[in-house]
Amino acid sequence: MKISEQCVVSLSWTLKDTLGETLDVLEEPVEFLVGGSDLLDSLEQALIGRRAGEAVQLQLEPEQAFGDYDDALLFLEPRHLFPDELESGMGFEGLPAGCNAAAPKDRLYFVSDIYPDHVVMDGNHPLAGIALRISLKVHAVRDATLEEIGRGTLGTGFFRTEITSSPGDTDGQPTLH
């Protein structure tokens, strides 16, 4: 079966930057919905028409992957608004109450730097501004079920950091990751 819109593909990969440094390795195959929100458009386009057993080598420029780095998504926020157990690299769905009201609420923010009185929060994807080399291996292809198509995802997005509302999530507060 060839990969087409509205199918499920099982992939493994090695992700590197353009200097050859390995950023991520997925050794055990994971299923993704093609035609949904699981994969980057550039990955889907490269996979269409492929079959199980094929390998795909891609170089993605930032605009084909996670975009350019945007300094406007850096926010300096008061330290007292964050948990005591704060570490660089921690992620928050949105910013805590009392932070910059102009900060987009539907982003995942990462702690970039911690100072005694302030915390630098970064709303950029961790791979923003980076050209990537990815080696994909297609392990299996199958038709997507109507339920999978209706959801638009298998819940295993490729390095996604968008925030989606979960059923029962009514407090509107940021969630710590």
Side-chain angles (χ1 to χ4, degrees):
M1 174 178 180
K2 287 185 178 181
I3 297 172
S4 62
E5 290 282 329
Q6 308 300 309
C7 75
V8 174
V9 61
S10 178
L11 301 172
S12 61
W13 65 67
T14 299
L15 182 67
K16 297 181 178 186
D17 63 18
T18 54
L19 298 176
E21 180 180 333
T22 300
L23 303 173
D24 187 63
V25 175
L26 178 65
E27 292 177 358
E28 293 298 318
V30 173
E31 287 188 331
F32 298 90
L33 177 66
V34 176
S37 62
D38 288 350
L39 296 169
L40 297 170
D41 290 341
S42 53
L43 293 180
E44 284 193 1
Q45 291 169 12
L47 289 169
I48 297 292
R50 307 285 181 152
R51 296 179 185 270
E54 288 192 53
V56 180
Q57 309 291 319
L58 297 172
Q59 176 154 334
L60 304 178
E61 295 304 317
E63 60 273 6
Q64 298 168 303
F66 300 101
D68 289 320
Y69 192 85
D70 184 356
D71 290 333
L73 292 174
L74 288 175
F75 297 92
L76 185 64
E77 302 296 339
R79 173 66 180 94
H80 73 274
L81 297 175
F82 294 87
D84 291 338
E85 305 80 30
L86 195 64
E87 297 177 18
S88 287
M90 283 179 132
F92 288 81
E93 291 182 9
L95 294 177
C99 288
N100 189 328
K105 305 211 180 321
D106 63 344
R107 296 194 82 80
L108 187 58
Y109 290 88
F110 296 93
V111 176
S112 174
D113 293 292
I114 304 169
Y115 298 100
D117 295 328
H118 294 89
V119 176
V120 179
M121 299 298 291
D122 189 344
N124 287 286
H125 188 285
L127 297 175
I130 298 175
L132 303 171
R133 291 181 181 159
I134 183 164
S135 299
L136 294 166
K137 175 151 189 210
V138 179
H139 293 270
V141 181
R142 66 171 175 84
D143 289 324
T145 66
L146 289 176
E147 181 181 333
E148 290 167 336
I149 293 169
R151 280 195 320 259
T153 181
L154 296 182
T156 53
F158 177 84
F159 294 103
R160 297 287 191 184
T161 59
E162 288 88 8
I163 297 173
T164 56
S165 298
S166 2
D169 180 19
T170 58
D171 68 1
Q173 292 298 310
T175 304
L176 178 66
H177 289 277

